[in-house]
Amino acid sequence: MLSFFKDYKYFAIVLATLSIIIITIFYNILKVEKVLPIYQPALVNPELVDSTMQYVKKYHKIADFSLTNQNGKTITQEDYKDKIYVADFFFTTCQTICPIMTDNMYQVQKSILNDEDVMLLSHSVTPKIDSVAQLKRYALKKGVNDAKWNLVTGDKKQIYALARKSYLAVKTFGNGDAYDMIHTENFILVDKKRQIRGFYDGTNLEEIEQLIEDIKILKKEYK
């Protein structure tokens, strides 16, 4: 019996080595890199899409905008040109989901702090209350890095139109008037072409971890 195993030892080694090589080759052939979807209004839950956008099946992009950040600087789409970014909607006096969202966005900021391709953008949904000075106090309190993360205020109708018609982030309907109020936990991942590539619950740590991983996946598209 020992003689049998001795005679076939080298054959077994060669066979095992070949098996490993063949399995590795097949794995690499069959392995498909994950690609994030491009979200069009027609593919998103209708509750999140303005009625005027629900049948748009292609070419959806974030609209141009002009808002003011925590330093009094005008921020437009040009500040995010050729950038991947994460957007959300909040207000500084919120005592429910917003503090959790801001803390979680801070974790995203930590993960992309040295990445020149990725930025963050938080829109105030109570711009009348959230003045530049108020945003600055909030930014300092929450550890916002001005080079990576803009907290913006401005025209309420513009912000609400962005939330509903561009970012597809809100379940409620309205026109941004004095009685309109948006309150959403959604974080939205936007690519360098201003296309939506993911939605995440900004209060859920598991989804924040997935967002951070998806940013890495999205970056591979530009290599």
Side-chain angles (χ1 to χ4, degrees), residues 60-78:
H60 180 72
K61 293 185 179 181
I62 305 304
D64 291 354
F65 58 90
S66 181
L67 299 163
T68 307
N69 77 354
Q70 66 268 25
N71 297 313
K73 177 186 174 184
T74 298
I75 300 296
T76 74
Q77 67 282 348
E78 290 302 308

Side-chain angles (χ1 to χ4, degrees), residues 56-101:
V56 176
K57 296 182 178 180
K58 55 185 178 180
Y59 306 130
H60 180 72
K61 293 185 179 181
I62 305 304
D64 291 354
F65 58 90
S66 181
L67 299 163
T68 307
N69 77 354
Q70 66 268 25
N71 297 313
K73 177 186 174 184
T74 298
I75 300 296
T76 74
Q77 67 282 348
E78 290 302 308
D79 294 281
Y80 287 82
K81 185 177 180 179
D82 295 324
K83 302 290 184 183
I84 293 167
Y85 71 95
V86 181
D88 76 333
F89 295 83
F90 81 111
F91 56 107
T92 62
T93 55
C94 169
Q95 299 299 313
T96 54
I97 63 173
C98 298
I100 301 170
M101 292 167 60

